[in-house]
Amino acid sequence: LEGIMSTAQQDDHPNVLTYAGALLRVAYTTIAYWLVGLTPEENHAAKGQAWCRVNAYRFAAWHWRKYLKYSEDSRARASLAWCYANLGMLESAVEHYRLAYARNKDPEIALYLAQVELDFGNQASARSLMEEISPRRHELSEESLSTLSDVETRLSAPAPK
């Protein structure tokens, strides 16, 4: 999850090499799946991550949904939620982040859930999550700390009239 989100934050406009790398990763993973015998989860996770690198969130979401058919995993569910959030599908993003957070109380999942709750207009839920995250902020990655700062700023801003 962290790798997907930080890559997506850094590469708003992927270059040709990033696209080529993603396509090669998808092709390589497909070959490995058929010849070496990757598990379906490994196959779909690798492809989901590759599509996220080039902001192809519809393709990535498709692979994360496939992953979840084989195995319920909070990180995979949070990755699916991340894709939905980037597609502007906030209701689906909130739903999947909530499911992921219910299974895994990871502060990174809570942070991105708080961000989407805020985007969706649920300030009370976002504040509650931020209270849970605050004592665990030392567990967040560098990329997540900037998201934390953004959410804190948005929550402290006066409500629009």
Side-chain angles (χ1 to χ4, degrees):
L1 176 71
E2 178 184 319
I4 291 169
M5 290 188 277
S6 64
T7 300
Q9 289 172 341
Q10 293 171 0
D11 296 335
D12 288 338
H13 303 288
N15 61 31
V16 173
L17 291 176
T18 306
Y19 277 102
L23 292 174
L24 285 172
R25 179 68 177 168
V26 168
Y28 174 80
T29 302
T30 302
I31 291 167
Y33 177 68
W34 290 107
L35 298 179
V36 179
L38 291 178
T39 66
E41 293 93 331
E42 292 169 324
N43 176 45
H44 290 295
K47 290 176 180 177
Q49 290 170 353
W51 289 122
C52 281
R53 278 191 206 100
V54 292
N55 303 336
Y57 298 113
R58 289 198 189 283
F59 291 131
W62 186 87
H63 284 288
W64 290 117
R65 284 190 304 270
K66 286 292 200 179
Y67 180 108
L68 291 167
K69 285 186 178 191
Y70 294 103
S71 177
E72 177 57 46
D73 179 80
S74 59
R75 292 279 182 191
R77 188 159 300 280
S79 295
L80 175 59
W82 171 255
C83 293
Y84 285 150
N86 280 286
L87 289 168
M89 300 168 62
L90 296 180
E91 192 170 341
S92 294
V94 166
E95 174 189 341
H96 287 283
Y97 271 130
R98 286 177 182 164
L99 289 169
Y101 189 60
R103 292 182 58 89
N104 181 354
K105 300 294 185 192
D106 184 284
E108 299 243 349
I109 294 173
L111 173 61
Y112 290 98
L113 172 56
Q115 183 181 42
V116 173
E117 289 278 15
L118 190 56
D119 291 343
F120 198 59
N122 298 332
Q123 281 202 348
S125 295
R127 284 185 200 288
S128 175
L129 287 161
M130 292 303 285
E131 289 172 11
E132 291 178 36
I133 296 166
S134 187
R136 298 180 65 193
R137 68 186 320 126
H138 64 279
E139 297 176 39
L140 297 173
S141 68
E142 289 295 320
E143 293 85 11
S144 294
L145 288 174
S146 68
T147 302
L148 177 71
S149 176
D150 176 59
V151 172
E152 288 172 336
T153 301
R154 289 174 58 199
L155 281 172
S156 66
K161 295 179 182 180

